[in-house]
């Protein structure tokens, strides 16, 4: 796994990004709910402004089924190189 250092344009905020690949039997909604619980347990402040510093941010950016059909694809893949570049390593 490779970590990527990124920052938002016109911002002093730096962050580490990584993409992981895994398999599970959860629906998108179930998995997303569980990931949000992990963020909350790590002290994530849900009232903080977007793109502010946070303890942990876990997003599902791509969900593919057994037949390689895309079930979910995040807009962030096209918007941000810190999402698309590490994702390319897994595909």
């Amino acid at each position: 796994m490779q970590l990527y250092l990124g920052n938002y344009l016109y911002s002093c905020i730096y962050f580490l990004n990584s993409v992981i690949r895994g398999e599970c039997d959860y629906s998108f909604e179930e998995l997303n709910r569980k990931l949000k619980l992990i963020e909350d347990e790590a002290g994530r402040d849900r009232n903080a402004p977007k793109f502010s510093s946070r303890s942990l941010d876990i997003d599902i950016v791509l969900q593919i089924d057994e037949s390689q059909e895309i079930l979910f694809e995040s807009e962030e893949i096209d918007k941000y190189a810190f999402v698309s570049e590490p994702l390319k390593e897994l595909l």
Side-chain angles (χ1 to χ4, degrees):
M1 175 172 61
Q2 187 167 349
L3 295 175
Y4 290 80
L5 180 64
N7 72 317
Y8 292 102
L9 193 58
Y10 309 113
S11 173
C12 297
I13 300 171
Y14 286 87
F15 49 89
L16 291 175
N17 278 287
S18 184
V19 175
I20 64 168
R21 179 180 180 166
E23 294 182 21
C24 72
D25 293 326
Y26 297 129
S27 69
F28 176 89
E29 292 78 16
E30 289 173 303
L31 179 58
N32 199 42
R33 209 171 17 256
K34 289 182 182 296
L35 295 175
K36 297 310 169 206
L37 285 173
I38 293 169
E39 290 177 343
D40 292 343
E41 289 172 3
R44 171 79 186 260
D45 178 4
R46 301 248 173 244
N47 296 315
K50 188 170 178 74
F51 299 130
S52 63
S53 182
R54 55 194 77 138
S55 56
L56 187 61
D57 182 24
I58 307 172
D59 297 308
I60 302 169
V61 295
L62 188 63
Q63 183 182 21
I64 302 172
D65 69 10
E66 301 83 23
S67 64
Q68 301 302 307
E69 181 180 339
I70 295 174
L71 303 176
F72 173 79
E73 186 173 9
S74 172
E75 297 173 351
E76 293 187 352
I77 295 171
D78 291 330
K79 281 184 176 178
Y80 305 113
F82 62 81
V83 176
S84 61
E85 290 304 311
L87 182 60
K88 286 178 189 176
E89 292 181 12
L90 297 179
L91 301 177

